Amino acid sequence: EVAVQLGIALSAEPVRNKRGRDGRRLSFTNNDDDCEGRDSPTASQSNGATSAYKSNLSDGLKLLYMGSTSISPESLNALLSGLGPSCPLQELRLQSNRMGPKGATRLVEFLETKSDNRQPVLPKLHRLDMSYNELGDQGTSKLTRAISKRAKVNMTEVSLSGNYMGSKGIESIMNKLLQHKLITLNLDNNSIGDQGCQLVAASLPSIGTLTRLNLAFNDIGCRGVATLMRSLVGCESITSLGLSGNVMRISGAIAMGFTLAQ
């Protein structure tokens, strides 16, 4: 299994004894000193090596983490094109890149294309993290609509934290993702309010596989919490619920206590 992580912290020292293709471990550094004194490859050598490396990587890549890499929508488009439609990627994390609605559009355009055999692209993609990308309701709606069209590819984890999302974005999410057997849904650090929480509550009985739900820091008041608690009475699958940073007050606390007592 190949896993690639590109994060905000890069090693300042050259990486020694990297594993090759058999080891399936790839390390990325940004150190020019490690290249001093070496002969530069010719254009043909470089192109050939790049093609071989790309083929090997895309054939086995399953996890791709690119949080806080300042990747632009245009760069994302180039990255996805390089991966190719049949890459066996299972998990894609692009959090904290501030790509905005344009970034969502680039991802949607790629997800809505078809491979040569008319199958969905990235046919094994099950976990997607687009948190903290300033998608807004518009970008969120586009992305969830694209996910809903991929009926042959079941999405088990979706993270859309910190995207300036309101109740309209939540309505799109809950309407479009019901057909997927979601296990984890992270929507924290948005602004869904009581109305958005009520929409989530109304949809929970239809998502019988959902075990982890995070609604922390969403401007939810006691009315939204009470509605959510009533919905959870008949929802036995939830094992983890995040509500930090929301206003419970007495009525919300009473509703939660009643639910937990069931």
Side-chain angles (χ1 to χ4, degrees):
E1 178 177 294
V2 175
V4 177
Q5 294 193 27
L6 299 180
I8 194 169
L10 294 176
S11 172
E13 297 295 328
V15 174
R16 307 297 182 187
N17 300 323
K18 300 177 186 177
R19 295 184 186 179
R21 294 180 181 176
D22 295 337
R24 296 292 191 179
R25 176 182 295 172
L26 301 175
S27 300
F28 291 80
T29 62
N30 186 16
N31 194 305
D32 294 333
D33 294 338
D34 197 33
C35 298
E36 290 183 0
R38 297 181 182 177
D39 294 332
S40 299
T42 64
S44 59
Q45 289 173 330
S46 178
N47 291 336
T50 300
S51 299
Y53 172 78
K54 173 183 169 183
S55 175
N56 176 262
L57 182 61
S58 62
D59 285 347
L61 187 64
K62 294 184 179 180
L63 312 177
L64 180 57
Y65 294 175
M66 293 190 66
S68 301
T69 53
S70 300
I71 186 171
S72 66
E74 292 73 19
S75 299
L76 176 61
N77 185 52
L79 171 68
L80 295 172
S81 299
L83 288 176
S86 59
C87 177
L89 194 67
Q90 298 176 5
E91 184 172 345
L92 177 60
R93 297 194 179 275
L94 298 167
Q95 74 277 12
S96 302
N97 281 300
R98 298 182 178 181
M99 288 185 283
K102 191 175 181 181
T105 299
R106 292 288 184 269
L107 180 55
V108 166
E109 289 173 349
F110 180 76
L111 292 177
E112 289 185 340
T113 59
K114 298 289 185 180
S115 60
D116 294 338
N117 57 1
R118 306 301 298 169
Q119 295 299 311
V121 298
L122 303 182
K124 296 185 179 181
L125 183 64
H126 302 306
R127 297 180 295 276
L128 176 64
D129 189 351
M130 283 288 286
S131 299
Y132 302 100
N133 272 298
E134 302 177 359
L135 302 183
D137 287 339
Q138 180 184 6
T140 300
S141 297
K142 286 183 178 180
L143 182 57
T144 52
R145 186 163 54 247
I147 293 174
S148 70
K149 293 179 180 179
R150 294 163 56 86
K152 295 181 179 180
V153 183
N154 186 60
M155 195 68 69
T156 60
E157 178 180 333
V158 175
S159 297
L160 293 168
S161 310
N163 274 307
Y164 303 136
M165 192 189 332
S167 57
K168 290 184 179 179
I170 287 295
E171 183 176 9
S172 174
I173 289 173
M174 304 318 295
N175 286 339
K176 300 298 183 181
L177 298 184
L178 289 179
Q179 68 189 47
H180 290 270
K181 296 179 180 179
L182 277 177
I183 297 175
T184 300
L185 181 59
N186 293 314
L187 302 172
D188 55 289
N189 287 281
N190 285 292
S191 301
I192 70 172
D194 285 337
Q195 184 178 357
C197 187
Q198 289 170 338
L199 290 170
V200 172
S203 303
L204 285 182
S206 302
I207 313 179
T209 56
L210 191 66
T211 61
R212 293 183 292 274
L213 175 64
N214 192 353
L215 298 174
F217 298 95
N218 260 299
D219 299 328
I220 300 172
C222 53
R223 186 177 61 177
V225 171
T227 303
L228 180 63
M229 291 302 111
R230 286 195 295 270
S231 179
L232 288 176
V233 171
C235 185
E236 299 180 354
S237 63
I238 298 291
T239 59
S240 176
L241 177 64
L243 288 172
S244 301
N246 294 301
V247 181
M248 297 284 285
R249 300 194 187 281
I250 295 177
S251 58
I254 292 174
M256 178 171 285
F258 174 79
T259 301
L260 295 176
Q262 303 304 306

